[in-house]
Amino acid sequence: MADRDVIRLLLADDHPIVRSGLRAVLDAEPGFEVVGEASTAQEAVQLAGELAPDVVLMDLQFGSGSHGAQATAAITDRPDAPRVLILTTYDTDADILAAIEAGATGYLLKDANPEDLAAAVRTAAAGQSALAPAVAQRLMGRMRTPEAALSRRETEVLQLVADGLSNQQISRALFLSQATVKSHLVHIYAKLGVDNRTAAVAAARRQGLIRR
C-alpha cells in the first residue's frame, strides 16, 4: 500500500503514444507522479525494482513477444512489491486468469475513461481489487458455473491450439506430456460441448475465452 501523499506510478507499454497519453491523463490528476516508463516487460521488471513505484500500470502484450503476466509475476514476487494494475485491450478468460494468478491487483481495459482509470489506480495503491466491470462479470460467471469453466491450464492449451500448434508442440511449450495435453483437450471438448479442435477454438472465441 502506498504510504505517501503522492502515488508513484510506472507505465509499462510498448507503444510510445499510449504511454504519452497515459502520462498526460495521470499527470493531470492530483496526488499522482509518473516516475518512469518501460517499453518492454523486462524493462518494467527492472524499473519496478529501481524506482520503487507504488503502482505499475502494465500492458499484457509487448511487441518483443514477452508477456505482461510474466513481468507481473516477477514484480509481485519481490518483498515490498508495488501493486500491478493491468491495463490492456484483452478481456479473455485466458488473459484475465494469467494476470490474476501472476499477482495483479487490478485489471482494467484501455477503453476506460480517465475518471475510472484514476479511481482504479487509487484502489490498487490501497491494496484493493480494481476490476473493469466486464472483467468482474466474467469472473462472476466462472464462479457461478465452475464445473463448466475452463481452468487456466485448459485455456492455455486451447490458445495454443488456436495458434496452430500440434499436441507435440504444445507439450514442449507447456512442459507437459502429450498424454496430459490430450487429457486437457478431452476435458475442454466436454466443457464446450464439441468433439474436435476446430469446433473447440470456434466456441472458445465466441465465448471470449481465448484471443481471436
Side-chain angles (χ1 to χ4, degrees), residues 32 56 65 71 89 102 105 135 137 141 153 158 161 194 197 204:
F32 289 170
V56 180
T89 58
T105 300
V135 173
Q137 186 175 12
R153 179 62 83 187
L158 192 51
V161 170
V194 299
R197 298 161 74 93

Side-chain angles (χ1 to χ4, degrees), residues 78-101:
R78 295 170 173 169
D80 300 320
R83 308 294 181 181
V84 177
L85 174 63
I86 301 297
L87 186 61
T88 184
T89 58
Y90 302 111
D91 64 349
T92 68
D93 281 23
D95 291 307
I96 295 168
L97 294 175
I100 291 176
E101 187 169 301

Side-chain angles (χ1 to χ4, degrees), residues 22-191:
L22 286 173
R23 180 181 279 274
V25 168
L26 296 169
D27 277 343
E29 283 288 328
F32 289 170
E33 179 187 4
V34 177
V35 297
E37 298 182 15
S39 60
T40 68
Q42 293 88 345
E43 188 179 13
V45 175
Q46 178 184 345
L47 292 180
E50 294 176 356
L51 301 177
D54 298 304
V55 178
V56 180
L57 278 73
M58 178 74 71
D59 194 9
L60 276 185
Q61 198 69 34
F62 291 80
S64 62
S66 57
H67 202 276
Q70 296 168 345
T72 296
I75 291 170
T76 58
D77 192 47
R78 295 170 173 169
D80 300 320
R83 308 294 181 181
V84 177
L85 174 63
I86 301 297
L87 186 61
T88 184
T89 58
Y90 302 111
D91 64 349
T92 68
D93 281 23
D95 291 307
I96 295 168
L97 294 175
I100 291 176
E101 187 169 301
T105 300
Y107 199 110
L108 206 63
L109 302 179
K110 286 183 177 178
D111 61 0
N113 61 50
E115 293 79 13
D116 288 342
L117 174 59
V121 169
R122 292 190 173 95
T123 299
Q128 300 172 355
S129 177
L131 300 174
V135 173
Q137 186 175 12
R138 294 195 69 83
L139 292 176
M140 285 298 294
R142 292 181 61 86
M143 292 175 63
R144 291 191 185 102
T145 57
E147 71 284 351
L150 299 186
S151 69
R152 182 192 169 189
R153 179 62 83 187
E154 288 166 353
T155 61
E156 287 177 331
V157 168
L158 192 51
Q159 183 67 66
L160 293 178
V161 170
D163 292 341
L165 274 66
S166 66
N167 285 5
Q168 184 178 31
Q169 290 170 321
I170 293 171
S171 71
R172 290 173 180 170
L174 298 180
F175 302 101
L176 301 173
S177 69
Q178 291 191 56
T180 299
V181 172
K182 290 179 182 178
S183 177
H184 282 312
L185 287 172
V186 169
H187 294 151
I188 290 167
Y189 296 165
K191 290 179 179 180

